[in-house]
Amino acid sequence: AQGDPQRGLELYSRSSCIGCHAIQGNPVSVAQVGPNLTHLATRHTIGGGLFVNDGPTLARWIKNAPKMKPGSIMNAQGKGEYDPRLKMTVAAGGLDDRQIADIVAYLMSLK
């Protein structure tokens, strides 16, 4: 599914994403825990260089980073996904595939 970058911006800006990530120009996204995402779309890789930075891979990463990279401190965000680090399934507050597609569209616009 093709995401909508504007919906992605709005969703990102009111989700748990802003608790860990900074994006220059986004006044609510100033945290320093995870990587700065300001120019994410210009990066060739994600996950500490392990994965190619493209839409489908970024969507899988957002859905369940610790499943892709054991030891990742990013929690699984996909609704219904099992987070192996937290040993629990993402329920309330989890993102569905359309919401993830919207966030990916927003992040891939960050050049």
Side-chain angles (χ1 to χ4, degrees), residues 8-33:
L9 164 63
E10 292 162 9
L11 182 58
Y12 173 96
S13 299
R14 67 173 189 269
S15 74
S16 63
C17 309
I18 62 173
C20 296
H21 295 286
I23 294 177
Q24 191 176 346
N26 185 331
V28 297
S29 189
V30 295
Q32 303 290 318
V33 178

Side-chain angles (χ1 to χ4, degrees), residues 19-69:
C20 296
H21 295 286
I23 294 177
Q24 191 176 346
N26 185 331
V28 297
S29 189
V30 295
Q32 303 290 318
V33 178
N36 184 305
L37 303 178
T38 299
H39 300 292
L40 181 64
T42 63
R43 296 186 198 163
H44 298 291
T45 61
I46 61 171
L50 292 178
F51 305 100
V52 64
N53 183 25
D54 62 18
T57 307
L58 188 56
R60 278 186 23 240
W61 180 263
I62 293 168
K63 189 178 273 199
N64 199 333
K67 186 163 103 179
M68 290 177 72
K69 182 185 178 188

Side-chain angles (χ1 to χ4, degrees), residues 80-92:
E81 287 288 311
Y82 180 77
D83 189 318
R85 191 173 62 85
L86 299 177
K87 298 181 175 26
M88 59 183 280
T89 299
V90 179

